[in-house]
Amino acid sequence: MKKIIPVIAAIVLIIVVVAISIAIKVVDKYSYSKERKDLKEYFAIESAEEVPIILQDEVIEESAKLFDGVYYLDLATVHKYFNDRLYEDKREGLLLITLPEETIRNEIGSSEYETAQGIASEEYIIARNEGDILYVAIDYVKKYANFSYEAFTDPNYMQVYTKWEERNTAQIIKDTAVRYQGGVKSPILEDMNEGDTVIVIEEMEKWSKVKTDNSIIGYVEKKHLDNYAVESPIPVTDYEEPVYTNISKPYKINLGWHAVAGVAGNDTLSSALAGTKGINTISPTWFALSDNDGNFTSFASKDYVTKAHELGIEVWALIDNFTNKEAVNTYEVLSYTSKRAHLIDNLINEALAYDLDGINVDFEEVSRDAGEHFIQFIRELSVACRKNGIVLSVDNYVPTGYTDHYDREEQGAVADYVIIMGYDEYYKGSSEAGSVASISFVEEGIKRTVEQVAPEKVINAIPFYTRIWETKGAELTSQAVGMELAEEFVKNHNIEIRWDEVTCQNYGEIQEGTSFYQVWLEDEQSIEVKLNIMNKYNIAGVAAWKLGFEKPSIWDVIENYLKQ
């Protein structure tokens, strides 16, 4: 018996040790961790200047910066979340914002800014460069956008609101903690006291994702929440969104581009208009950029304008960037504020001197890196046109991903009319033959444009020309010709024409020796279908390239469209 007692004791001891071990593990599993999450790690702060941003209820990838006690945002962040009209001129060290009646100007590195009323100043540097990045003081951004922000320290981070939607709140009913993740072992982000209020972002089975008064986002046990309520924040409305007033004609626009190759070309106005019907706007190709300083050539004629006005026709003179393209780098012209101002001043002077009704901007093949400068030019030109009652219209390609940098949406806000050049679907240099303007191409252009621009500001341009395609072996060439020349070609070559339902054009082809010819005609039928599509989208009117390429009978079709 004496020998058994020690054995029993040993067994009991082992059982006790095991039980204690199990109990410790159970307690450890279900006990609340007291480990605290380092907030610098939580926000992934990598430098002393970095200030993480909580936008609404989410930590975003972009951060603010703290320089000399002032909070700054990089310009890309300003554009993405607050106002994309702030513009940096890297060449001349300027920060600009163009409003309907003026452009406000700050010299980067300065606390002063210039308005139409004079010089004003802030108590901080408005914009500063750090390396290649421009940072703008958040308080200056706030002058041009409606948002609120609250900055926190230790570590530095900020809460930003740009929307003020109803949000769910709840009250903490027992002292607890907000944790990094849902689970008692997750590190603590912030201690919470009974009576504290949190914003409830998401509810799960046992845990809720919440945001504290300090804008720390984490998880708290649902059993510690009660007194749920809905809160309606008061929106910030300090900034009044500017209204870009526009000129809108009380009739459908019927614009014809008049190719004027020189001063003598102005004498062709009468012949260009002969046989036309319903033309109410003419756009002579008078102005062309001539160098990289913003100068341009001009074939403007007062007699031309007077004669057009006597016929009840407005004159919207065109300026292009390609007539003298060997001498012109569009990026070089538009990326300098002083050059844009020189160009705009001279355009307005010409418009006033010749009593022009409008200016038509036809800048083609604008490079992607010049896109921001192009749209800033349109903004600034719109201010000058608005002040002087001059119609501003801008020519655009049919929208594709390759031309998004033309920023049609902004054009639609600041310009009077946005014109779609609804042609050149297949063009000189295309790798295959095809229609200049098939109906699907035309409709897609209109559809995608009115998604960005109000229909009453959109004009669709139709072609008065087509291309005669010749395939000879592996070589493909084409020639642009007017309607009558195209029909003469068809007749002279005995080409059989048939209606193509895909393009909604009359199509013909013929093999002659080693040459294979193809032609998609523009005629009364094809133009009528295009005009019907334009009516479908209720846009502002029609333009045509170019006067002199059409058949007289086309005007009956267009006149019928104008009456609808």
Side-chain angles (χ1 to χ4, degrees):
M1 185 68 179
K2 289 181 179 179
K3 291 182 180 180
I4 296 174
I5 291 174
V7 173
I8 294 173
I11 292 172
V12 169
L13 181 62
I14 291 171
I15 291 171
V16 169
V17 170
V18 170
I20 291 172
S21 176
I22 292 172
I24 290 173
K25 288 182 179 179
V26 169
V27 170
D28 184 61
K29 180 178 179 180
Y30 293 102
S31 65
Y32 290 78
S33 170
K34 295 182 179 180
E35 179 190 357
R36 305 192 74 85
K37 182 77 171 177
D38 186 296
L39 290 183
K40 286 186 179 180
E41 180 185 342
Y42 167 76
F43 284 115
I45 296 173
E46 297 180 353
S47 68
E49 297 84 11
E50 187 175 358
V51 182
I53 298 172
I54 301 115
L55 179 63
Q56 307 304 119
D57 298 326
E58 181 181 359
V59 179
I60 60 175
E61 61 181 351
E62 297 84 1
S63 294
K65 298 288 185 182
L66 183 61
F67 299 126
D68 301 325
V70 178
Y71 293 99
Y72 289 84
L73 299 167
D74 66 83
L75 189 59
T77 299
V78 174
H79 285 169
K80 183 175 179 179
Y81 296 109
F82 304 105
N83 191 327
D84 61 4
R85 289 191 174 119
L86 274 84
Y87 166 82
E88 179 188 9
D89 179 342
K90 291 181 180 289
R91 302 299 188 97
E92 297 181 309
L94 300 171
L95 175 68
L96 310 176
I97 183 164
T98 298
L99 303 176
E101 302 298 333
E102 64 174 322
T103 293
I104 296 171
R105 173 184 178 125
N106 162 253
E107 187 174 324
I108 293 170
S110 164
S111 61
E112 295 183 338
Y113 59 98
E114 183 179 353
T115 72
Q117 287 72 44
I119 303 294
S121 64
E122 301 292 349
E123 295 180 352
Y124 49 82
I125 300 300
I126 290 171
R128 58 191 289 166
N129 282 305
E130 297 292 329
D132 294 331
I133 300 175
L134 179 69
Y135 291 90
V136 185
I138 193 168
D139 285 331
Y140 189 75
V141 176
K142 208 169 183 305
K143 295 167 73 71
Y144 305 107
N146 283 318
F147 66 94
S148 64
Y149 78 93
E150 183 179 3
F152 300 91
T153 57
D154 194 26
N156 292 314
Y157 63 97
M158 69 168 58
Q159 170 71 61
V160 175
Y161 285 107
T162 57
K163 300 176 184 177
W164 295 271
E165 300 164 339
E166 287 187 343
R167 55 199 186 196
N168 297 317
T169 64
Q171 197 172 53
I172 301 291
I173 58 173
K174 180 183 178 182
D175 290 357
T176 186
V178 171
R179 297 182 179 274
Y180 179 56
Q181 293 176 328
V184 297
K185 293 304 180 185
S186 184
I188 295 170
L189 292 173
E190 185 176 345
D191 293 315
M192 303 301 294
N193 297 316
E194 180 182 343
D196 288 343
T197 299
V198 293
I199 295 170
V200 180
I201 299 172
E202 183 182 356
E203 291 188 273
M204 287 151 279
E205 184 180 354
K206 294 182 178 181
W207 293 79
S208 290
K209 186 177 184 181
V210 300
K211 184 166 69 175
T212 72
D213 282 346
N214 293 328
S215 291
I216 297 296
I217 299 172
Y219 295 82
V220 69
E221 285 181 288
K222 287 181 71 175
K223 66 183 182 181
H224 296 318
L225 295 176
D226 202 354
N227 301 325
Y228 289 86
V230 176
E231 181 179 276
S232 298
I234 299 173
V236 174
T237 56
D238 299 338
Y239 174 63
E240 187 174 342
E241 191 69 31
V243 177
Y244 292 82
T245 57
N246 300 118
I247 297 172
S248 181
K249 299 298 177 180
Y251 48 79
K252 281 184 180 177
I253 301 295
N254 183 15
L255 180 149
W257 279 295
H258 182 200
V260 177
V263 175
N266 290 317
D267 295 335
T268 63
L269 175 61
S270 295
S271 60
L273 293 174
T276 64
K277 293 180 181 179
I279 280 276
N280 50 43
T281 311
I282 192 165
S283 182
T285 58
W286 276 349
F287 308 137
L289 290 179
S290 58
D291 60 27
N292 290 335
D293 294 320
N295 294 307
F296 57 87
T297 55
S298 172
F299 301 140
S301 162
K302 190 64 179 289
D303 289 342
Y304 183 107
V305 176
T306 300
K307 188 168 185 178
H309 285 173
E310 288 173 352
L311 295 170
I313 298 173
E314 290 198 351
V315 180
W316 299 0
L318 178 147
I319 179 164
D320 74 49
N321 66 333
F322 50 82
T323 296
N324 303 306
K325 64 180 179 180
E326 298 301 324
V328 174
N329 181 322
T330 304
Y331 182 93
E332 284 297 311
V333 177
L334 300 184
S335 60
Y336 288 84
T337 298
S338 59
K339 293 180 182 181
R340 293 193 308 273
H342 176 68
L343 170 57
I344 290 167
D345 287 346
N346 287 336
L347 278 173
I348 297 300
N349 289 340
E350 288 283 287
L352 296 176
Y354 290 95
D355 196 22
L356 300 180
D357 304 285
I359 293 172
N360 176 234
V361 177
D362 187 12
F363 281 10
E364 301 186 15
E365 297 183 3
V366 173
S367 60
R368 185 167 292 277
D369 61 349
E372 62 179 317
H373 310 301
F374 168 75
I375 199 61
Q376 180 62 17
F377 166 64
I378 297 300
R379 290 189 191 109
E380 293 167 354
L381 179 56
S382 81
V383 173
C385 287
R386 196 172 291 111
K387 285 181 179 178
N388 291 280
I390 297 167
V391 177
L392 173 60
S393 60
V394 187
D395 301 340
N396 287 268
Y397 299 110
V398 165
T400 64
Y402 299 109
T403 60
D404 285 346
H405 58 284
Y406 275 74
D407 200 346
R408 292 166 185 82
E409 183 176 358
E410 184 72 345
Q411 288 183 39
V414 302
D416 298 303
Y417 291 102
V418 173
I419 302 180
I420 310 164
M421 297 183 290
Y423 38 75
D424 282 344
E425 178 180 5
Y426 290 85
Y427 50 90
K428 181 181 180 181
S430 287
S431 59
E432 58 182 294
S435 167
V436 166
S438 70
I439 195 60
S440 60
F441 177 78
V442 171
E443 180 165 15
E444 184 68 12
I446 296 172
K447 179 181 177 182
R448 294 186 64 179
T449 300
V450 299
E451 289 172 355
Q452 298 177 295
V453 181
E456 62 269 20
K457 301 183 83 172
V458 175
I459 298 169
N460 186 68
I462 57 176
F464 279 170
Y465 70 95
T466 190
R467 287 191 171 275
I468 297 172
W469 298 89
E470 179 183 4
T471 303
K472 197 170 186 177
E475 184 181 10
L476 175 66
T477 58
S478 68
Q479 179 183 3
V481 297
M483 293 178 175
E484 290 184 338
L485 280 178
E487 291 188 357
E488 286 181 18
F489 180 85
V490 167
K491 181 179 179 181
N492 293 339
H493 290 260
N494 294 316
I495 298 175
E496 182 179 345
I497 294 298
R498 61 174 176 81
W499 181 254
D500 177 21
E501 288 291 348
V502 175
T503 60
C504 285
Q505 289 174 273
N506 284 304
Y507 168 77
E509 62 183 45
I510 193 170
Q511 183 79 43
E512 291 185 348
T514 58
S515 294
F516 178 60
Y517 294 100
Q518 295 170 279
V519 60
W520 286 262
L521 294 175
E522 292 293 353
D523 52 24
E524 297 89 342
Q525 285 179 276
S526 68
I527 296 299
E528 183 176 18
V529 176
K530 292 176 175 62
L531 294 172
N532 288 340
I533 289 296
M534 291 158 64
N535 255 338
K536 172 183 173 181
Y537 288 91
N538 199 29
I539 62 174
V542 60
W545 179 265
K546 62 181 179 174
L547 292 178
F549 266 10
E550 77 280 10
K551 295 193 299 181
S553 54
I554 289 298
W555 294 109
D556 293 324
V557 179
I558 293 175
E559 188 177 39
N560 184 56
Y561 160 75
L562 296 174
K563 292 176 181 178
Q564 296 176 13

